[in-house]
Amino acid sequence: MPPTLPPLTPGTLYLVATPIGNLEDITLRALRVLRECDVVAAEDTRRTGQLLRHLDLSKPLLSCFHFNEARRSEDIIGRLRRGERVALVTDAGSPGISDPGERVVKATLAAGLRVEPVPGPCALVAALTASGLPTNEFHFIGFLPHKSGARRRKLEESKETAGTLVFYESPYRVEKLLGELAEVFPERPVTLARELTKKFEEFLRGRPAELLERARQRPWKGEFVVLVGPVDTPCFGPAPAEP
Ligand code: SAM
């Protein structure tokens, strides 16, 4: 007989991590929370609706995205006060990591209510653990600003930061980022983690200039995490040959 699991706690905000590509990456606990909660607050209700249908679940959905997060927090707090169990999900991965979540969490805690993480996929962790770069100390930068001057300043400041640096980057700017890394961190080892957990997942490792050259030969598509190792760490590149 499987153990009887305790029911969800009334008045709790559950932060539920969802797959970053591979739909098998949903935990048993995430499934249970999504099944038993009263409402799912979602970054994009259409996308989450598709995920729920895939999981054979049907739940009331509330939208909670960057521009309505502050207002929506009040609604969520009202529901929690009435004893509802609210699951917060984003389009992919862990809420609050370069995604909505932080504001709702702060507002929930400020109201004296309970927040519980339901951990699971996160591109940052998946990329870091397989990067071949130090994992004992790292600094998550996430997305750099779009403007060139501000990007450059942030990169220059990061020279002083210990451990592996982790960036999120859009496919449209990954070549630009490699060019910037070649100037600011020419000798450091870089790992590009592309399309994690998906069919075309690949890890490209090398110095920034080598990877830039590769990117110019074959522009890469998809989603990327870019990791920069500290000075004097081994570089496992150059990147493998094209198939
Ligand atoms: N909350 C998410 C998490 O836990 O990783 C991150 C959301 S953020 C809006 C999206 C960015 O995460 C992408 O631009 C990319 O840098 C990274 N990312 C998400 N999924 C990825 C994947 N499957 N492979 C590589 N990078 C990914």
Side-chain angles (χ1 to χ4, degrees), residues 67-159:
F67 294 107
N68 77 350
E69 195 181 345
R71 190 160 35 86
R72 188 57 91 197
S73 299
E74 291 168 27
D75 183 14
I76 290 174
I77 286 164
R79 287 170 179 271
L80 294 171
R81 286 205 170 110
R82 293 195 292 277
E84 288 192 19
R85 289 88 34 104
V86 180
L88 176 74
V89 303
T90 60
D91 290 353
S94 299
I97 304 298
S98 296
D99 260 344
E102 185 182 324
R103 277 195 200 150
V104 188
V105 167
K106 285 182 175 158
T108 304
L109 295 176
L113 295 159
R114 188 181 154 83
V115 177
E116 226 180 87
V118 183
C122 180
L124 144 71
V125 176
L128 180 67
T129 49
S131 66
L133 300 171
T135 56
N136 61 331
E137 187 169 7
F138 64 91
H139 182 78
F140 177 59
I141 295 177
F143 290 103
L144 285 170
H146 287 187
K147 293 206 175 133
S148 298
R151 286 170 76 84
R152 188 60 181 232
R153 273 195 299 284
K154 186 74 193 167
L155 288 173
E156 293 286 349
E157 274 168 35
S158 309
K159 275 183 174 170

Side-chain angles (χ1 to χ4, degrees), residues 12-31:
T12 301
L13 174 69
Y14 290 90
L15 305 172
V16 182
T18 55
I20 56 170
N22 188 329
L23 292 174
E24 284 182 301
D25 292 337
I26 184 95
T27 68
L28 294 174
R29 187 155 164 249
L31 276 176

Side-chain angles (χ1 to χ4, degrees), residues 18 20-21 43 90 92-99 121-125 127 140 143 167-171 193-198 222-226:
T18 55
I20 56 170
E43 181 181 12
T90 60
S94 299
I97 304 298
S98 296
D99 260 344
C122 180
L124 144 71
V125 176
F140 177 59
F143 290 103
F167 301 88
Y168 282 171
E169 191 51 284
S170 108
R194 187 174 90 83
E195 293 287 84
L196 288 161
T197 78
K198 303 184 198 176
E223 298 194 278
F224 289 88
V225 182
V226 181

